[in-house]
Amino acid sequence: MKINGNTIKPGMVLQHNGGLWVVTKASHVKPGKGGAFANVEAKNLETGNKLNERFRSEDKVERVTLEQKDFSYLFDNGDSLVFMDDATYEQIELQKDWVGEERIPYLQEGMKVVIEMHEERPIGLELPDQVVLEVAETEPTVKGQTASSSYKPALASNGVRIMIPPYMSAGERIVVDTTSGEYVRRAE
């Protein structure tokens, strides 16, 4: 769908210069002399390259709508990860480097994820906002330290190092934010 340059907003996906770009920033400028334009910062969805472009209000740009599909994570297959489409039960394999080394430890068997598709090609993967992990090892609790606001290092069951409250011990279940990798709260 073609849109005018002055209607570009952050979060939109555009087809431009032969690639797919997600708009990260857009500022609209109306100078005293001349036509209005939008300064747009965008990131390429495939390569990660950044783009700074100026679109005049009369410029037409192609807006792309990504299809979001629900998938379940099945298993690790060496260099790739296997996911199953929840609607059709078809399986797809995604390369580990495409998924991202920092996100792989949060994947758990059967976990629901959203994969954004463009013309049946995977473009992006969204993990749940939070996951439940178990504290595998941490320093012992020191009496009188519970009132302190300092956190202590711990190793979660997925191998990720996180900071947890000082009163917690190994074997406890915790909720962790998948974006920041930070402790959120104790799991029920």
Side-chain angles (χ1 to χ4, degrees), residues 106 108 130-138 151-158 160-165 167-178 181-188:
Y106 296 110
Q108 299 169 357
Q130 300 174 340
V131 293
V132 175
L133 300 172
E134 190 174 308
V135 177
E137 60 184 60
T138 187
Y151 281 51
K152 64 181 181 179
L155 185 68
S157 54
N158 65 350
V160 172
R161 293 208 165 275
I162 53 172
M163 299 299 282
I164 62 171
Y167 56 83
M168 299 192 86
S169 56
E172 291 194 59
R173 292 167 45 84
I174 57 173
V175 176
V176 177
D177 185 301
T178 56
E182 293 176 356
Y183 167 85
V184 177
R185 66 178 187 278
R186 184 181 261 158
E188 287 85 46

Side-chain angles (χ1 to χ4, degrees), residues 66-73 83 86 92 94 98 103 107 111-117 122-128:
L66 299 178
E67 183 182 1
Q68 296 192 325
K69 288 186 167 185
D70 293 326
F71 279 80
S72 295
Y73 171 66
F83 296 86
D86 289 348
I92 63 166
L94 300 175
W98 185 85
R103 298 161 85 193
L107 286 170
M111 175 185 275
K112 303 286 185 214
V113 298
V114 174
I115 297 180
E116 294 178 316
M117 310 282 268
I123 296 294
L125 176 114
E126 283 181 38
L127 294 175

Side-chain angles (χ1 to χ4, degrees), residues 4-8 27-40 53-60:
N4 288 342
N6 62 348
T7 59
I8 297 172
S27 60
H28 299 278
V29 180
K30 176 121 177 59
K33 190 174 180 182
F37 60 89
N39 279 328
V40 175
E53 190 95 16
R54 181 179 281 187
F55 293 98
R56 295 188 328 256
S57 56
E58 59 271 9
D59 288 343
K60 295 284 189 198

Side-chain angles (χ1 to χ4, degrees), residues 38-159:
N39 279 328
V40 175
E41 274 185 38
K43 182 179 173 191
N44 190 302
L45 288 172
E46 283 124 5
T47 64
N49 293 342
K50 293 200 185 297
L51 166 86
N52 283 323
E53 190 95 16
R54 181 179 281 187
F55 293 98
R56 295 188 328 256
S57 56
E58 59 271 9
D59 288 343
K60 295 284 189 198
V61 68
E62 185 71 31
R63 182 175 179 193
V64 176
T65 305
L66 299 178
E67 183 182 1
Q68 296 192 325
K69 288 186 167 185
D70 293 326
F71 279 80
S72 295
Y73 171 66
L74 296 180
F75 58 89
D76 185 326
N77 193 19
D79 289 342
S80 61
L81 302 167
V82 180
F83 296 86
M84 179 183 70
D85 187 326
D86 289 348
T88 64
Y89 302 110
E90 288 180 37
Q91 293 182 6
I92 63 166
E93 286 191 39
L94 300 175
Q95 295 302 310
K96 283 185 177 179
D97 57 349
W98 185 85
V99 173
E101 292 297 323
E102 71 285 347
R103 298 161 85 193
I104 292 172
Y106 296 110
L107 286 170
Q108 299 169 357
E109 205 172 290
M111 175 185 275
K112 303 286 185 214
V113 298
V114 174
I115 297 180
E116 294 178 316
M117 310 282 268
H118 177 254
E119 297 174 352
E120 296 304 313
R121 196 174 88 232
I123 296 294
L125 176 114
E126 283 181 38
L127 294 175
D129 294 337
Q130 300 174 340
V131 293
V132 175
L133 300 172
E134 190 174 308
V135 177
E137 60 184 60
T138 187
E139 299 165 5
T141 302
V142 177
K143 195 171 182 125
Q145 196 178 21
T146 54
S148 165
S149 63
S150 63
Y151 281 51
K152 64 181 181 179
L155 185 68
S157 54
N158 65 350

